[in-house]
Amino acid sequence: ENRPGMLGELMSVFGGAGINVSQQINTSKGEIAYNVVDLELPRNADGKPELSSFKSFDELQAAIMELDGVKSSRLISDWCPGTGYAIKAGGEVIGIGVDSPEQESYAAL
């Protein structure tokens, strides 16, 4: 939804997960807005992801979908193209975790 505070709520989800927003685009038309957000996991000195606050992309997407006003979300990645779509339908979130790769693969990024 295009309403005051919505973008801030979304960015707070990323911050709470310890994820850096490297770039974002927000546009709207009437009551609907959409965002394209590029994310970066923080990295240790050895280049491996620092996962102290981050649990999984499925949990991140679930937190995004819990926000009042979010209608759908899609995570696009280079490790498993075409997955990561979620939508609210009849008050229920569907699609999270469908065709997702094993969580251990994220640590190799």
Side-chain angles (χ1 to χ4, degrees), residues 7 10-11 21-27 34-38:
L7 184 58
L10 179 62
M11 294 300 123
V21 174
S22 60
Q23 180 177 332
Q24 69 92 23
I25 298 168
N26 173 277
T27 191
Y34 70 89
N35 294 279
V36 177
V37 183
D38 290 335

Side-chain angles (χ1 to χ4, degrees), residues 26 65 98 102:
N26 173 277
M65 293 302 297
V98 177
E102 292 294 320

Side-chain angles (χ1 to χ4, degrees), residues 7-21 37 39-40 42 53-54 60 64:
L7 184 58
E9 291 176 32
L10 179 62
M11 294 300 123
S12 291
V13 170
F14 299 131
I19 296 176
N20 183 50
V21 174
V37 183
L39 305 173
E40 296 175 334
S53 298
F54 179 79
L60 178 68
I64 292 167

Side-chain angles (χ1 to χ4, degrees), residues 32-107:
I32 300 295
Y34 70 89
N35 294 279
V36 177
V37 183
D38 290 335
L39 305 173
E40 296 175 334
L41 290 174
R43 303 216 176 241
N44 294 324
D46 62 3
K48 295 198 180 229
E50 168 54 53
L51 303 175
S52 59
S53 298
F54 179 79
K55 294 183 176 64
S56 75
F57 284 101
D58 284 348
E59 287 189 30
L60 178 68
Q61 189 171 30
I64 292 167
M65 293 302 297
E66 286 178 10
L67 296 175
D68 185 39
V70 172
K71 310 290 186 203
S72 66
S73 64
R74 180 154 188 201
L75 298 177
I76 301 171
S77 69
D78 56 358
W79 68 87
C80 194
T83 63
Y85 186 74
I87 189 168
K88 285 182 185 170
E92 181 181 350
V93 175
I94 55 174
I96 295 176
V98 177
D99 297 328
S100 292
E102 292 294 320
Q103 186 65 41
E104 291 79 18
S105 67
Y106 301 134

